[in-house]
Amino acid sequence: MSRTRARVSAPDQACVAAVDLARAAAEELARPGEPGEHLGHESEGDRIVTHYFACLDRAYRGWRWAVTVTRASRAKKVTVSEAVLLPGSGALLAPEWLPWSERLRPGDLGVGDLLPTADDDDRLAPGFTETDDDADHQAVFEYGLGRARVLSAIGKDRAARRWHSGEHGPHTPIAHAAPAQCSTCGFYWLLAGGLRQMFGVCTNEYAPDDGKVVAADHGCGAHSEAAVLPPPVEQAIPILDDLGYDLMEEEAGSVDESASEELGHS
């Protein structure tokens, strides 16, 4: 079975020769002198050719003018189909457009700004799905006094991952230098619900994380059980030095040991 080949038509010579016509169309759209040298042509189909011209406008460096010319079947006159300014290789382009919901970053919300939440936000779940130790919670919701939506399992997981890997988690320089973890600190206030196993709120007004959610294995120097070491005591110089010694020169005695005189011993 042979592979089918797409037929490639040869460029129409009348359209290829219409360089001046294409340049005149580009000059009508651009300012005088902005279309530069002819960069070549490209066949777009039967009797359709696009001519490219350099763009000399300093605001569009790397761009090029593209003018498409064509002629009708059995006609000799070539006409302009369209002209447009296209980016070339190395052209400065605007970033890809993103909706506001994807451009938003933490900290962008200001005073008076509203941030609508989508109905299908997977971080939230209907309020009646919340599990609580309070037996009257379901009854409160049925009377319309509860929250319409609560944090879903996905929302809890995302929050836990974000908090644990953030600046209030265990992987920070201040946590590595801390004397102990927040879970053993008296200022550590446990969260309610399932997150109490991993997170709490710092209540030490002198700590850098006061009023913020911190991980149980986070820490800082304001730990409630941080011990203050006493200042080192300098060793006093002993009055009597019983460790050193002095070399004494031997003095000559009154007896001449070299003499052979009898000392009167029997």
Side-chain angles (χ1 to χ4, degrees):
M1 204 177 158
S2 61
R3 182 180 299 177
T4 57
R5 296 181 179 179
R7 185 177 65 88
V8 178
S9 59
D12 185 78
Q13 296 303 315
C15 293
V16 172
V19 177
D20 294 338
L21 177 64
R23 180 183 293 276
E27 290 178 349
E28 289 183 5
L29 296 177
R31 289 181 292 186
E34 287 186 356
E37 62 177 335
H38 184 245
L39 301 178
H41 65 274
E42 182 179 357
S43 178
E44 305 287 353
D46 293 339
R47 299 179 301 279
I48 302 175
V49 174
T50 299
H51 292 273
Y52 296 100
F53 300 91
C55 180
L56 302 182
D57 190 348
R58 291 180 297 176
Y60 290 89
R61 292 181 179 178
W63 292 62
R64 55 183 180 171
W65 287 101
V67 181
T68 302
V69 296
T70 185
R71 69 181 181 91
S73 177
R74 299 182 181 181
K76 296 182 179 180
K77 184 178 181 181
V78 179
T79 58
V80 176
S81 176
E82 63 177 350
V84 66
L85 187 61
L86 298 178
S89 58
L92 181 61
L93 300 176
E96 184 181 357
W97 183 85
L98 294 175
W100 67 268
S101 58
E102 299 181 17
R103 297 196 306 268
L104 195 65
R105 293 293 179 267
D108 292 346
L109 194 66
V111 178
D113 296 338
L114 296 179
L115 180 59
T117 304
D119 295 336
D120 58 348
D121 195 328
D122 55 2
R123 298 173 301 171
L124 299 173
F128 60 82
T129 61
E130 183 180 18
T131 58
D132 200 339
D133 296 335
D134 188 1
D136 297 331
H137 181 77
Q138 183 65 27
V140 170
F141 176 82
E142 291 176 354
Y143 282 109
L145 302 178
R147 290 179 293 170
R149 289 188 290 178
V150 295
L151 199 62
S152 65
I154 296 178
K156 293 178 181 178
D157 182 69
R158 290 184 182 177
R161 292 177 181 271
R162 186 173 62 253
W163 294 346
H164 196 264
S165 61
E167 60 181 0
H168 307 301
H171 309 297
T172 57
I174 192 172
H176 292 166
Q181 296 182 350
C182 290
S183 59
T184 60
C185 181
F187 298 105
Y188 182 70
W189 193 353
L190 292 173
L191 293 182
L195 294 178
R196 66 181 290 117
Q197 299 178 0
M198 297 179 58
F199 301 99
V201 179
C202 178
T203 62
N204 190 345
E205 59 182 316
Y206 301 108
D209 301 321
D210 179 38
K212 300 176 182 178
V213 176
V214 294
D217 47 358
H218 183 62
C220 70
H223 194 279
S224 62
E225 310 306 321
V228 179
L229 298 178
V233 178
E234 296 184 0
Q235 201 73 10
I237 300 176
I239 300 176
L240 177 61
D241 187 4
D242 56 354
L243 298 178
Y245 60 91
D246 297 330
L247 294 177
M248 306 294 294
E249 295 182 0
E250 184 178 0
E251 298 181 357
S254 59
V255 179
D256 186 5
E257 296 179 356
S258 61
S260 59
E261 181 183 356
E262 294 292 339
L263 297 179
H265 298 285
S266 56

